[in-house]
Amino acid sequence: MIRKVANISFVFLLGASIFGCTSDKLEGPGKENQAPTVWLSAAPPEGTVSGYTLHLYWGGWDPDGEIAYYEYAITDNEGGVFDPADTTGSDKWFPVFRNESIFTFTADQLADSAGTDFTRMNPLDYIRSHSFFIRAVDDEGLATKIPAYRSFTSRTLSPIVDVLVPTSSGLNPAQVPPITTFRWVGRDYVGTLRETQEPDSVRWIIVSTELFDKSWNATIRYVRENPDAPQWSDWHYYRATGDTGKFWTSPALEYGPYVFAVQVKDEAGAVNPVFDEHRNVRRVMVSKRTSGPLLTVYNKFIGTMVTTSPNTPLTIIDLPAKVPMSFRWEADASNYGGVVSGYRYGWDIQDLNEDDQWDIDWTPFVTENNSAQSPPRTYEFDSHTFHIEVVDNSGFTSRTGVRVNVVPFTMTKNVLLIDDWEERSPGFDRTNGGLPSDTEHDEFWADMLADVDEFDPSVDMIEVQDDLPINALADYRTLIWVATAAYNSTTGSLINEIIQFVDPDVPAGGGKTNPNIVSLFMSAGGHVLLCGEQVMTASINRISFLPNNAAFPLIFRYELTSDQDGEYEDSDIGERGVGEESFPYQDCCLNVLDIAYIRSITAVRRTLVQSCAVNMVRSHSQKNDGLRYTIPMDDKYDFPQLELRDKVGGPGRWYDENVSGLNCDIYNPLYFADVEKGLELTGVCNDVAELIPARECFKPMYGNGCLNPSSLIYGAPVAFWTLTYEDRVPDAGGVAARSAVWGFHPVFFKPEQVKPALDIILFDEWQLLRRLPRE
């Protein structure tokens, strides 16, 4: 090479010397540019079947320069045969500036049309033969003379789709309104049945059977055999914003029969050709409806009312004057393909057909779940009726109403004692201190209330069994309710029906309803003392927990519907819980309820927070954990300590200290919120205190004086004040004061200690008048 260069230089110089220098440029024959070479380094083997998404690699070399970029071409080989025309022309080649890339190939040909049942939807094999070409282009624009290539067959499984709304009724058409929202869900199988994703696009069709002599079968056959029929919509992106690829709202249709069908396509172009009346085809009958959207209305005192009728009978409730009544509601028309358009409501409407008589005229919902609520309204007398109505986009309505009968509360009498304890015992003496007789129980309370002015046991002490109308409380300022409501008790107390939690998802019966009269009495400014063995367990609806029992401790805000697995998402903590309007949570300010001991359980394992296992480390012992005396905890009054009567807890008696203490409620126990003291946590956990934060409206009055001072529930509250209505002054006159709960029966304790404790509640807190001493 050196020699060759030298000779060339010699000839050049010789020529210059003979002919002279006529140009400042070097002139002579140039070397021809050589084309780069290229190869595929990773691709499917020639002639094989592969997936439709492939990661291909290639490389190249330019012998006299550098490779500037590569170009590729992809052919869709019709009939499995390569056509050279598919790579002829610059428009068939596309640049790529790397040595690898991921390609999605089409697989849009049904592999076996002969063996396909076009009436039963299943994922089907789709294929397409392809040839992939790659060539290099050097820095002078010269391309590879012979590209590298690979021919193979891409494969996929066709997607499937199911119509969700309207639901299938077999060969019977679904009844839909003129404006119907059809909903569906698609699933795309990526090569195998185990790997799925959403389809790429969707289209739909609706055809009247009137075009085919009202024949369902002929109409469906037309849809199946005409993929290019003019009634088909364009293809729409399945994953469009707002889920608009998952539903379609029809224009207003004429009444009559129609066939609706939907197809989905995957990213490889496969479209399932099957039209299955159980999956992606619906017979529909557009007709006038006799019902409207599903309307669900909730009120704290009534519960949940559900209707689809435009003329639902009224629900009736008796309320004290000036108790705020508000309602919240949701509406849903999706089950028949409708869309809820709006709502209206009003009080005391004389003519429901007159728009101007409604307090709020038709208003669109602004929440995702079509929910709204009315502001609180209070009344002092007479009867008043609330109506709520919703309408769908075809004009069909649902309506319900509530009549509120206002019960005047005179509150002229001091105290009413409700005896809700079924005494079948022969007495303390004959049961060894186990239970008092009915006479002993009545005499105890008559003595406790003897100093209240104008108290008459024959009038102001009543035994209840099946029912107690709110009118029975209307003449009293204060109420003492004595009940046996132990969770495992077989005797039924009325208090269970009164304060029991009402699941908002469970519809209440229509007609006259029996509200929580204790809550209503407190709302009206009345003062209440609830007392009895485990009295707050009466708020637990045991039917909700069947076939299991509730686990204790129980969190009122989240667990009253038996959901005690503790799988609370972080977003749930601090958010609205199902028990937020329950009597124990809202009226009594209770977060947690525990029981002193559970005979059949020695330990409770629970999960409080997602990914957080919580072990209750305390055992349950009748002897060590049961209540023997109360520990004063009040920060305002000097309450006396209460001790078991000698005939109840003395040596050899039923509650001998070597045998057992009383079983009682434990309220908001600190050990349950104090991770370091009472809980062993594993995993990444939130602080339990976030789930059950302290509430200022709860004030302990007495703590648990159990035999073992090392018990985790020693000193835990067994009686408390609730401050929820402490500022509510009765309309009939009186004072604002707190209500109280004792989670045990006072009759088991020494009367000479119980009476001064009750006097503090009656005369100091509630400010009742004392009976004047007889002269």
Side-chain angles (χ1 to χ4, degrees):
M1 179 64 74
I2 295 176
R3 182 177 298 172
K4 183 176 181 180
V5 173
N7 290 338
I8 293 173
S9 300
F10 174 75
V11 173
F12 174 78
L13 292 173
L14 178 63
S17 63
I18 294 175
F19 298 105
C21 185
T22 61
S23 173
D24 58 355
K25 297 182 179 180
L26 295 179
E27 298 180 356
K31 185 177 180 180
E32 182 180 358
N33 181 28
Q34 300 182 54
T37 59
V38 71
W39 59 86
L40 274 167
S41 56
E46 182 72 18
T48 59
V49 177
S50 70
Y52 66 88
T53 300
L54 297 174
H55 198 165
L56 304 180
Y57 295 81
W58 54 83
W61 179 69
D62 185 16
D64 58 357
E66 294 183 354
I67 294 176
Y69 57 92
Y70 297 91
E71 290 182 327
Y72 70 90
I74 297 175
T75 66
D76 297 338
N77 303 332
E78 292 291 340
V81 179
F82 165 66
D83 184 353
D86 291 338
T87 60
T88 302
S90 60
D91 61 319
K92 305 296 193 304
W93 293 85
F94 303 92
V96 59
F97 296 90
R98 296 186 300 178
N99 290 74
E100 53 80 27
S101 189
I102 297 175
F103 295 88
T104 298
F105 297 89
T106 58
D108 54 1
Q109 292 181 327
L110 185 60
D112 181 17
S113 60
T116 299
D117 182 355
F118 290 95
T119 65
R120 293 290 179 266
M121 179 169 288
N122 287 298
L124 302 174
D125 278 320
Y126 270 69
I127 58 174
R128 168 68 78 171
S129 173
H130 295 283
S131 294
F132 176 81
F133 296 85
I134 189 75
R135 67 187 184 185
V137 180
D138 68 11
D139 50 0
E140 295 188 25
L142 184 62
T144 302
K145 293 182 178 180
I146 302 177
Y149 73 93
R150 193 66 49 85
S151 294
F152 56 91
T153 298
S154 61
R155 173 191 173 274
T156 187
L157 290 174
S158 64
I160 64 172
V161 62
D162 290 279
V163 176
L164 300 179
V165 177
T167 57
S168 174
S169 300
L171 298 180
N172 296 318
Q175 303 295 317
V176 299
I179 302 175
T180 298
T181 297
F182 297 89
R183 297 182 184 274
W184 53 80
V185 59
R187 186 162 60 254
D188 178 24
Y189 296 97
V190 187
T192 70
L193 296 178
R194 293 186 299 271
E195 185 181 0
T196 63
Q197 63 184 13
E198 289 187 329
D200 175 78
S201 50
V202 60
R203 69 173 186 168
W204 52 85
I205 188 172
I206 188 164
V207 181
S208 171
T209 65
E210 298 285 350
L211 303 174
F212 304 92
D213 295 327
K214 297 184 179 181
S215 169
W216 295 107
N217 291 333
T219 308
I220 294 171
R221 186 165 56 251
Y222 169 80
V223 171
R224 181 177 292 123
E225 296 175 356
N226 291 273
D228 298 321
Q231 293 94 338
W232 279 105
S233 72
D234 294 331
W235 286 102
H236 297 264
Y237 185 46
Y238 185 87
R239 286 161 273 185
T241 304
D243 285 342
T244 53
K246 300 174 184 176
F247 68 87
W248 171 65
T249 300
S250 72
L253 300 172
E254 297 290 335
Y255 290 145
Y258 294 81
V259 168
F260 173 81
V262 61
Q263 284 186 312
V264 287
K265 179 167 60 176
D266 69 12
E267 56 190 353
V271 180
N272 198 313
V274 173
F275 290 91
D276 185 338
E277 289 198 60
H278 298 285
R279 306 290 295 273
N280 65 327
V281 177
R282 288 290 183 270
R283 302 181 183 198
V284 297
M285 180 66 70
V286 177
S287 58
K288 185 175 179 61
R289 294 181 59 82
T290 58
S291 60
L294 178 67
L295 173 60
T296 304
V297 184
Y298 177 79
N299 171 265
K300 171 187 174 182
F301 302 113
I302 299 172
T304 300
M305 299 161 283
V306 178
T307 187
T308 58
S309 170
N311 295 294
T312 309
L314 292 176
T315 297
I316 303 171
I317 184 173
D318 296 337
L319 291 181
K322 292 189 177 180
V323 170
M325 281 291 282
S326 64
F327 300 87
R328 65 172 186 264
W329 55 86
E330 295 180 2
D332 181 16
S334 63
N335 67 311
Y336 60 83
V339 174
V340 177
S341 297
Y343 65 90
R344 62 179 179 175
Y345 66 86
W347 286 89
D348 297 334
I349 303 168
Q350 299 300 313
D351 187 345
L352 296 171
N353 296 316
E354 293 294 332
D355 294 343
D356 59 358
Q357 292 190 20
W358 293 76
D359 295 349
I360 300 296
D361 205 356
W362 290 117
T363 303
F365 287 97
V366 295
T367 60
E368 186 175 348
N369 63 340
N370 293 332
S371 63
Q373 64 182 23
S374 66
R377 182 76 67 91
T378 61
Y379 292 100
E380 297 186 29
F381 46 82
D382 289 342
S383 294
H384 301 271
T385 303
F386 174 84
H387 279 100
I388 168 67
E389 187 174 31
V390 294
V391 64
D392 69 12
N393 55 348
S394 293
F396 300 116
T397 62
S398 298
R399 184 178 66 228
T400 191
V402 176
R403 176 175 296 160
V404 178
N405 297 324
V406 178
V407 178
F409 267 45
T410 61
M411 292 188 169
T412 56
K413 296 184 178 181
N414 280 321
V415 62
L416 172 67
L417 184 127
I418 296 178
D419 184 354
D420 192 18
W421 187 20
E422 187 177 0
E423 305 98 341
R424 299 178 180 176
S425 165
F428 279 131
D429 291 335
R430 296 179 62 181
T431 60
N432 206 29
L435 286 171
S437 67
D438 183 61
T439 300
E440 287 174 323
H441 184 264
D442 292 348
E443 289 178 350
F444 169 82
W445 280 106
D447 290 341
M448 294 300 104
L449 302 177
D451 290 341
V452 178
D453 191 34
E454 297 183 351
F455 175 75
D456 183 352
S458 65
V459 176
D460 303 323
M461 286 178 58
I462 60 175
E463 292 190 7
V464 293
Q465 292 181 346
D466 299 327
D467 190 20
L468 184 68
I470 194 170
N471 309 62
L473 313 182
D475 292 335
Y476 292 90
R477 298 188 183 97
T478 65
L479 170 67
I480 298 177
W481 197 306
V482 184
T484 294
Y487 185 73
N488 58 357
S489 174
T490 58
T491 60
S493 293
L494 182 61
I495 195 67
N496 293 74
E497 300 178 20
I498 297 296
I499 69 172
Q500 183 173 267
F501 171 69
V502 177
D503 188 343
D505 293 333
V506 177
K512 187 68 177 288
T513 185
N514 296 317
N516 182 340
I517 60 174
V518 177
S519 177
L520 287 174
F521 186 77
M522 295 166 67
S523 301
H527 316 316
V528 174
L529 170 62
L530 286 179
C531 55
E533 181 184 0
Q534 302 170 37
V535 66
M536 290 309 297
T537 62
S539 64
I540 301 171
N541 190 334
R542 283 183 281 182
I543 294 178
S544 298
F545 287 83
L546 293 176
N548 303 309
N549 287 319
F552 294 92
L554 181 142
I555 303 174
F556 284 115
R557 191 178 186 185
Y558 299 103
E559 299 181 344
L560 278 172
T561 55
S562 80
D563 183 9
Q564 291 191 280
D565 59 8
E567 293 295 325
Y568 305 116
E569 300 286 349
D570 289 345
S571 60
D572 292 337
I573 297 177
E575 298 296 325
R576 187 180 189 87
V578 66
E580 194 146 311
E581 291 187 342
S582 66
F583 177 74
Y585 186 85
Q586 185 174 72
D587 296 274
C588 297
C589 291
L590 289 179
N591 284 325
V592 174
L593 175 67
D594 200 0
I595 298 176
Y597 55 82
I598 304 173
R599 294 179 178 88
S600 60
I601 300 176
T602 57
V604 180
R605 179 178 177 83
R606 306 198 40 183
T607 303
L608 281 183
V609 191
Q610 190 176 23
S611 303
C612 176
V614 180
N615 294 294
M616 302 310 306
V617 297
R618 85 173 181 91
S619 62
H620 293 254
S621 169
Q622 294 176 238
K623 173 183 174 182
N624 293 321
D625 298 320
L627 177 66
R628 303 202 61 80
Y629 60 93
T630 63
I631 302 173
M633 301 178 68
D634 195 84
D635 57 5
K636 182 177 180 180
Y637 299 114
D638 186 17
F639 276 93
Q641 177 174 290
L642 308 182
E643 301 169 351
L644 291 179
R645 299 182 189 222
D646 293 337
K647 64 171 62 178
V648 170
R653 307 303 287 181
W654 189 274
Y655 291 101
D656 186 312
E657 67 176 16
N658 294 312
V659 178
S660 176
L662 286 178
N663 206 357
C664 61
D665 282 346
I666 304 293
Y667 303 120
N668 293 348
L670 290 177
Y671 84 88
F672 196 61
D674 187 343
V675 173
E676 295 182 357
K677 181 177 180 182
L679 301 176
E680 294 178 353
L681 302 184
T682 59
V684 180
C685 304
N686 292 297
D687 189 345
V688 181
E690 293 183 35
L691 201 61
I692 46 175
R695 303 172 69 194
E696 292 298 322
C697 52
F698 173 85
K699 295 295 182 182
M701 184 187 302
Y702 277 122
N704 180 27
C706 54
L707 185 66
N708 181 12
S710 298
S711 169
L712 286 175
I713 59 170
Y714 180 83
V718 296
F720 65 93
W721 297 105
T722 171
L723 279 61
T724 303
Y725 300 101
E726 66 169 340
D727 297 324
R728 175 71 165 99
V729 178
D731 298 324
V735 299
R738 301 175 292 180
S739 290
V741 176
W742 285 9
F744 53 86
H745 271 305
V747 71
F748 287 93
F749 292 84
K750 296 178 178 179
E752 65 271 20
Q753 297 171 347
V754 175
K755 191 171 191 313
L758 288 173
D759 284 350
I760 292 175
I761 296 174
L762 296 168
F763 303 119
D764 295 338
E765 180 69 23
W766 294 350
Q767 299 184 34
L768 299 181
L769 296 176
R770 286 183 181 270
R771 188 188 302 272
L772 295 175
R774 294 179 181 179
E775 297 181 358

